[in-house]
């Protein structure tokens, strides 16, 4: 396509028409100029290609497809390769089905366990979310199919999702809510970005110039097109100016006409329209000029892949007395509706019409050592005595029991948030009663987000399966019977109770205003800082083998922030079976002028080790590993000091630690000095101290001697240290009242103004 030529030949009306969808899933064609319509489909964990009866809520059917594990599960793999392989599978399916863009990945940060869409999102940690999103994007786009990373930005609740205003301070946005998008955009270059429904600091994301143009394009170098979430457009003309290229779905022509009108009356520049047209045509061209229509989509092969990858995502959270893995000869009671009808995906736009679903019962077909019981009803929350008794009886007859439990569809979905973190009552009672009947009871959970576990001490084993996709049954069997050694790690903290969560006091907001009061202290950044007990910490997960760490070495003891730091550590499998370990690298910052988390994840690698094998895992840390977002510089800033490089099994289990001295290459920006500047801040400013240092010293001495003059009692009451401590909070202007030097207020003002002048 000669895009510039096409633009020059297009009428204003044709240009405007390209800036919104033809219908639910297509861009518009301009036949006169040979511009084809292209189709997109929901993801993120499979295809939801709809035909005539289209909707964005997952209500109407779509073609039969493969449902891979959801974002919550794949994040638990801590494995870029898992995401890449899913991406490649989806990419092939898209080429086969002629889909130019798949709508995902969804990378919003899990601010609260209650968010209805947490099942689709990756993590409470932006580094993990960004790295995994980049891998998925690379996988899909390696097949010459676009992705749409979503929902940009600060979209962390479903409550009032189309009207709420996420009020987030600048540092928190930069450190927590934007970096997953940033990493993915910089590393993997998604073809498109989907802006969110909500407002960000008072402005709809779909009209937010700062977000869509200054940050996304100018800073991060995004070169694709931005599309709206379905129905996220309020003022289309403002949107074009802000950098929203494509409105989805169709506006029925109304907004096309508004765009034309705005250009004609001078409120919108034609260049802005051209810019969006250019971005959209670029991506259309990228897709159609490299079409691979012959790509095969082998559903059965992808089902097997989904099974293999789901097993890599399961997290073994408890395994007392090595209750797992089950032995082939052991008699096992398999209990719970979800063992027959697994909950393997979430509700809403990501809902996939799976061509096949494999439950645990299906996977166990022919296994003579298992007996089954339903245990609970999925629809009715109340305990059913008959079902429970049957399950208890089965459990009592067996060596061990496994209960497949979790959250039913109605508990968590796109479109609304949970109101509590509890499991259905029928399941809680079932677990407690079965565990009494059989001390070797294991629970497997299928859920999209953490639940409270009042029963945790009654059971010996626990596997968190999240929403594992259509082959979840095969994966569950593989993990329970030890065909696969579990290697998932929690991508989020599991609090003991909902009230422990840092956003508890302000989540969902008041009316349309959602204040992100907890700032950067999201997830483990909060629990670790508060030294708070959690049910399971971020990064935690067990294995059927054991790993030890040794020989942590840093490439330098001292660096400046323009240099990188090499970090290596050896990991050894000290058990008797092969397994995969997730090596987690955290950085702890020194005390500086802003509040910082105790530690933050700055690297992770998954390694496979045979029994007795040792491997060296290497990381490279750059400036961002040490920096915080400085709101005076509006940039990343490294404070001088000793940083601890920590290797951990989770955010709560740091096994090796060493420190490196890091020097920032720019000085910390100082507040301007004026008569209200307090002495403590003045002391940080060398230029100010050259002028005021002697005066301050004199004041200090006088202050101390005044105490002494007032007798022994006074000098005992106020020691030198005490007067120094008190004085540090006194503003500069007090020197006028306390008589240190002959100076008027105006002279003082003039002096401070001089200090602020650049040298
Ligand atoms: C969702 C998006 C989805 C779109 C299209 C919206 O309601 O928020 O994630 O891609 O619908 O179905």
């Amino acid at each position: 396509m000669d895009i510039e030529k096409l633009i020059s030949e297009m009428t204003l009306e044709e240009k405007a028409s390209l800036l919104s969808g033809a219908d639910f899933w297509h861009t518009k064609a301009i036949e006169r100029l040979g511009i084809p319509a292209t189709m997109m489909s929901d993801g993120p964990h499979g295809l939801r290609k709809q035909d005539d009866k289209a909707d964005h809520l997952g209500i109407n059917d779509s073609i039969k497809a493969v449902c891979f594990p959801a974002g919550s599960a794949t994040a638990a793999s801590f494995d870029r390769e898992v995401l890449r392989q899913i991406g490649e599978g989806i990419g092939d399916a898209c080429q086969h089905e002629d889909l130019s863009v798949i709508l995902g990945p969804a990378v919003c940060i899990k601010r609260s366990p209650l968010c209805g869409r947490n099942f689709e999102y990756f993590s409470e940690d932006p580094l993990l979310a960004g790295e995994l999103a980049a891998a998925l994007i690379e996988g899909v786009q390696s097949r010459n199919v676009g992705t749409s990373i979503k929902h940009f930005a600060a979209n962390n609740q479903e409550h009032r999702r189309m009207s709420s205003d996420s009020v987030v301070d600048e540092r928190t946005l930069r450190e927590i809510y934007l970096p997953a998008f940033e990493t993915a955009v910089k590393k993997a270059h998604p073809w498109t970005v989907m802006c969110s429904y909500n407002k960000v600091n008072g402005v709809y994301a779909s009209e937010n110039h700062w977000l869509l143009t200054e940050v996304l394009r100018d800073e991060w170098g995004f070169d694709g097109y931005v599309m709206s979430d379905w129905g996220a457009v309020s003022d289309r003309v403002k949107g074009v100016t802000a950098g929203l290229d494509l409105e989805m779905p169709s506006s029925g022509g109304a907004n096309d006409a508004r765009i034309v009108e705005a250009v004609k009356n001078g409120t919108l520049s034609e260049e802005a329209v051209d810019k969006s047209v250019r971005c959209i045509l670029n991506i259309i061209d990228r897709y159609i000029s490299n079409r691979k229509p012959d790509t095969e989509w082998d559903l059965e092969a992808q089902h097997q892949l989904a099974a293999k990858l789901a097993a890599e995502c399961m997290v073994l959270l408890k395994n007392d007395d090595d209750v797992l893995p089950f032995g082939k000869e052991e008699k096992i009671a398999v209990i719970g509706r979800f063992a027959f009808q697994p909950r393997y995906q979430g509700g809403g736009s990501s809902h996939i019409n799976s061509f096949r679903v494999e439950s645990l019962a299906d996977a166990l077909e022919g296994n003579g050592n298992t007996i089954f019981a339903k245990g609970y009803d999925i629809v009715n929350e109340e305990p059913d005595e008959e079902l429970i008794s049957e399950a208890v009886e089965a459990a009592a007859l067996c060596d061990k029991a496994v209960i497949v439990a979790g959250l039913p569809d109605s508990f968590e979905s796109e479109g609304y948030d949970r109101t509590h973190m509890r499991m259905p009552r029928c399941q809680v009672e079932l677990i407690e009663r079965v565990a009494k009947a059989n001390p070797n009871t294991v629970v497997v959970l299928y859920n999209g987000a953490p639940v409270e576990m009042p029963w945790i001490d009654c059971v010996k084993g626990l596997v968190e399966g999240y929403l594992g996709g259509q082959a979840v049954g095969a994966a569950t069997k593989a993990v329970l019977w030890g065909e696969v050694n579990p290697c998932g790690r929690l991508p989020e903290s599991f609090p003991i109770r909902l009230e422990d969560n840092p956003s508890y006091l302000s989540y969902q907001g008041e009316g349309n205003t959602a204040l992100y009061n907890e700032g950067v202290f999201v997830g483990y950044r909060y629990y670790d800082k508060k030294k708070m007990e959690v049910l399971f910490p971020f990064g935690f997960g067990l294995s059927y083998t054991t790993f030890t760490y040794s020989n942590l070495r840093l490439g330098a003891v001292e660096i400046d922030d323009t240099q990188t730091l090499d970090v290596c550590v050896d990991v050894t499998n000290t058990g008797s079976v092969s397994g995969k370990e997730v090596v987690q690298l955290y950085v702890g910052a020194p005390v500086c002028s802003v509040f910082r988390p105790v530690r933050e994840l700055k690297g992770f690698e998954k390694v496979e080790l045979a029994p007795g094998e040792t491997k060296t895992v290497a990381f490279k840390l750059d400036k961002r590993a040490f920096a915080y977002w400085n709101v005076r510089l509006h940039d990343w800033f490294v404070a001088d000091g000793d940083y601890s490089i920590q290797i951990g099994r989770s955010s709560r289990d740091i096994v090796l630690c060493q420190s490196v001295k890091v020097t920032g290459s720019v000085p910390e920006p100082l507040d301007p000095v004026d008569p209200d500047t307090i002495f403590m801040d003045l002391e940080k400013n060398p230029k100010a101290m050259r002028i005021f240092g002697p005066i301050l010293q004199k004041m200090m001495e006088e202050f101390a001697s005044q105490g002494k003059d007032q007798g022994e009692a006074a000098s005992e009451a106020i020691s030198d240290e005490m007067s120094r401590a008190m004085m540090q909070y006194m503003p500069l202007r007090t020197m006028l009242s306390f008589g240190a030097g002959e100076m008027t207020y105006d002279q003082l003002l003039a002096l401070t103004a001089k200090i602020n002048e650049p040298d």
Side-chain angles (χ1 to χ4, degrees):
M1 255 186 204
D2 184 341
I3 292 170
E4 291 313 315
K5 184 160 174 283
L6 281 175
I7 295 177
S8 70
E9 286 168 10
M10 283 163 87
T11 64
L12 176 59
E13 284 72 14
E14 283 170 336
K15 290 177 185 173
S17 77
L18 264 192
L19 305 198
S20 61
D23 53 29
F24 245 80
W25 304 116
H26 292 87
T27 57
K28 286 207 195 84
I30 303 180
E31 276 159 26
R32 179 179 80 84
L33 297 170
I35 298 171
T38 54
M39 187 173 189
M40 50 190 94
S41 148
D42 261 312
H45 40 266
L47 262 52
R48 187 170 75 95
K49 185 184 181 192
Q50 283 189 314
D51 290 330
D52 37 339
K53 278 195 250 106
D55 71 276
H56 65 298
L57 297 172
I59 297 165
N60 293 307
D61 256 4
S62 44
I63 58 161
K64 292 277 183 201
V66 180
C67 179
F68 287 102
S72 49
T74 54
S77 73
F78 271 71
D79 189 345
R80 296 167 183 87
E81 199 42 43
V82 164
L83 276 296
R84 193 181 317 277
Q85 287 185 32
I86 293 178
E88 290 166 358
I90 292 176
D92 284 342
C94 286
Q95 277 293 351
H96 185 270
E97 288 295 320
D98 196 5
L99 294 167
S100 63
V101 172
I102 184 94
L103 305 178
V107 300
C108 300
I109 293 296
K110 300 181 186 204
R111 181 179 171 227
S112 161
L114 297 183
C115 173
R117 272 185 111 162
N118 277 0
F119 72 86
E120 223 175 317
Y121 297 150
F122 288 126
S123 179
E124 67 188 22
D125 182 83
L127 180 112
L128 180 63
E131 288 289 319
L132 298 181
L136 184 92
I137 292 167
E138 280 167 4
V140 174
Q141 295 189 174
S142 71
R143 298 328 201 229
N144 196 51
V145 167
T147 51
S148 193
I149 187 169
K150 64 190 187 183
H151 310 92
F152 191 54
N155 177 201
N156 313 93
Q157 63 186 52
E158 290 298 280
H159 180 75
R160 291 177 179 257
R161 71 168 172 161
M162 297 181 86
S163 60
S164 84
D165 180 10
S166 302
V167 181
V168 199
D169 67 84
E170 181 184 336
R171 182 179 158 214
T172 301
L173 267 177
R174 292 295 191 153
E175 291 187 24
I176 304 292
Y177 295 102
L178 295 184
F181 292 97
E182 179 184 2
T183 304
V185 166
K186 287 181 174 169
K187 272 188 130 170
H189 314 289
W191 290 11
T192 81
V193 166
M194 187 190 294
C195 75
S196 55
Y197 285 128
N198 53 288
K199 293 179 181 173
V200 180
N201 291 326
V203 183
Y204 276 118
S206 61
E207 294 165 18
N208 203 313
H209 187 267
W210 174 78
L211 199 62
L212 303 186
T213 297
E214 290 162 55
V215 173
L216 182 64
R217 288 186 190 278
D218 300 348
E219 279 185 39
W220 300 347
F222 173 68
D223 67 354
Y225 68 78
V226 177
M227 72 174 89
S228 71
D229 198 344
W230 269 232
V233 169
S234 172
D235 184 326
R236 183 65 186 106
V237 173
K238 275 192 191 157
V240 178
T241 314
L244 172 65
D245 304 305
L246 177 67
E247 171 181 7
M248 285 305 287
S250 160
S251 72
N255 278 337
D256 304 3
R258 282 193 187 98
I259 291 171
V260 170
E261 174 57 26
V263 172
K264 286 190 175 153
N265 70 25
T267 45
L268 178 66
S269 74
E270 190 156 353
E271 289 73 52
V273 176
D274 287 355
K275 209 168 109 235
S276 288
V277 170
R278 193 172 291 118
C279 291
I280 294 168
L281 287 181
N282 232 326
I283 297 302
I284 292 178
D285 183 43
R286 206 180 282 174
Y287 175 69
I288 57 168
S289 52
N290 294 292
R291 272 285 283 134
K292 296 186 179 67
D294 299 335
T295 308
E296 291 209 356
W297 184 18
D298 182 340
L299 278 84
E300 190 49 47
Q302 287 202 354
H303 178 85
Q304 300 308 330
L305 178 67
K308 179 174 156 264
L309 299 182
E312 303 278 320
C313 302
M314 299 211 157
V315 194
L316 178 63
L317 290 175
K318 186 170 181 181
N319 196 18
D320 289 358
D321 304 331
D322 291 333
V323 64
L324 289 173
F326 296 145
K328 278 205 177 66
E329 305 309 318
E330 286 176 323
K331 202 162 168 59
I332 309 294
V334 178
I335 298 166
R337 279 272 178 189
F338 282 170
F340 305 89
Q341 288 163 262
R343 172 128 188 281
Y344 64 94
Q345 65 172 332
S349 62
S350 68
H351 200 88
I352 284 154
N353 186 4
S354 303
F355 87 92
R356 174 171 161 207
V357 179
E358 191 174 1
S359 68
L360 178 58
D362 295 334
L364 285 169
E365 217 181 277
N367 179 322
N369 275 339
T370 46
I371 54 172
F372 295 89
K374 298 204 171 63
Y376 58 86
D377 189 275
I378 295 177
V379 182
N380 185 1
E381 241 212 88
E382 292 310 315
D384 178 321
E385 194 46 49
E386 207 175 303
L387 291 177
I388 293 182
S389 305
E390 187 197 358
V392 165
E393 251 170 59
L397 287 174
C398 291
D399 299 312
K400 293 175 179 174
V402 56
I403 303 168
V404 186
L407 294 177
D409 272 315
S410 60
F411 271 53
E412 51 177 0
S413 166
E414 174 178 340
Y416 56 90
D417 295 327
R418 283 191 291 170
T419 53
H420 60 77
M421 238 177 75
R422 295 186 296 276
M423 287 167 63
R425 280 186 293 282
C426 54
Q427 296 190 17
V428 173
E429 181 158 344
L430 174 76
I431 293 171
E432 287 169 353
R433 301 252 306 264
V434 168
K436 262 196 203 129
N438 190 324
N440 292 314
T441 293
V442 173
V443 172
V444 173
L445 291 176
Y446 294 162
N447 48 325
V451 290
E452 290 169 357
M453 302 182 198
W455 42 262
I456 188 67
D457 293 334
C458 319
V459 300
K460 276 199 183 162
L462 173 62
V463 174
E464 175 54 75
Y466 282 109
L467 301 183
Q470 67 176 53
V472 69
T476 308
K477 178 195 159 224
V479 164
L480 293 177
W481 271 264
E483 295 150 21
V484 167
N485 189 350
C487 56
R489 302 290 182 263
L490 288 184
E492 62 192 317
S493 315
F494 274 44
I496 295 172
R497 8 165 253 162
L498 175 64
E499 291 81 352
D500 295 346
N501 178 259
S503 73
Y504 180 73
L505 292 179
S506 60
Y507 188 64
Q508 293 190 334
E510 291 170 338
N512 278 333
T513 305
L515 289 178
Y516 284 42
N517 283 335
E518 69 285 359
V520 299
F521 294 98
V522 172
Y524 70 91
R525 286 167 169 77
Y526 173 82
Y527 301 118
D528 288 357
K529 188 88 175 179
K530 296 256 306 199
K531 297 196 175 86
M532 224 163 136
E533 213 189 314
V534 289
L535 191 53
F536 298 106
F538 174 84
F540 177 74
L542 301 167
S543 164
Y544 296 151
T545 187
T546 47
F547 301 97
T548 57
Y549 289 83
S550 61
N551 211 5
L552 171 62
R553 42 224 196 265
L554 309 189
V557 286
E558 197 173 335
I559 55 165
D560 70 49
D561 70 8
T562 62
Q563 297 169 311
T564 54
L565 179 72
D566 289 312
V567 180
C568 289
V569 66
D570 295 344
V571 200
T572 305
N573 181 344
T574 44
S576 54
V577 286
S578 282
K580 290 184 182 172
E581 172 70 322
V582 176
V583 182
Q584 301 164 42
L585 187 157
Y586 296 87
V587 174
V591 173
C592 66
S593 47
V594 297
F595 296 117
R596 307 229 13 207
V598 178
R599 64 183 60 89
E600 297 181 273
L601 186 76
K602 296 296 172 183
F604 65 92
E605 290 297 332
K606 198 168 199 178
V607 275
E608 182 161 20
L609 295 162
E613 192 184 5
T614 299
K615 276 186 184 160
T616 299
V617 177
F619 300 93
K620 208 179 247 320
L621 301 179
D622 62 12
K623 175 176 174 177
R624 280 291 284 275
F626 307 102
Y628 72 86
W629 183 265
N630 186 297
V631 295
R632 283 190 225 123
L633 280 177
H634 304 294
D635 201 355
W636 298 99
F637 172 77
V638 174
D640 296 346
D642 292 331
Y643 289 76
S644 70
I645 308 300
Q646 309 171 3
I647 299 294
R649 294 193 165 96
S650 75
S651 85
R652 282 298 169 87
D653 186 4
I654 302 302
V655 285
L656 292 172
C657 176
Q658 269 188 32
S659 103
V660 60
K661 190 169 163 35
V662 187
T663 320
S665 52
V666 284
E668 183 161 5
L670 298 169
D671 279 335
V673 174
D674 64 29
D676 291 327
T677 302
I678 63 170
F679 295 147
M680 186 188 207
D681 294 337
L682 202 71
E683 278 174 5
K684 292 183 200 146
N685 187 322
K687 207 166 151 193
M689 284 308 280
R690 277 199 295 279
I691 298 173
F692 291 110
I695 304 177
L696 283 186
Q697 184 59 31
K698 198 169 149 221
M699 271 181 79
M700 179 79 70
E701 281 158 14
E702 276 177 18
F703 203 66
S705 74
Q706 269 168 25
K708 291 205 178 84
D709 290 350
Q710 276 160 29
E712 227 170 84
S715 69
E716 262 171 31
I718 303 179
S719 65
D720 280 2
E721 294 74 53
M722 289 164 78
S723 45
R724 185 176 291 278
M726 286 178 201
M727 269 189 67
Q728 63 181 335
Y729 305 124
M730 284 163 57
L732 198 47
R733 61 181 151 71
T734 55
M735 60 179 267
L736 304 177
S737 356
F738 297 138
E742 304 293 314
M743 203 183 283
T744 64
Y745 185 86
D746 286 346
Q747 286 168 330
L748 178 62
L749 200 60
L751 253 185
T752 54
K754 234 181 157 38
I755 291 170
N756 298 329
E757 280 170 14
D759 292 323

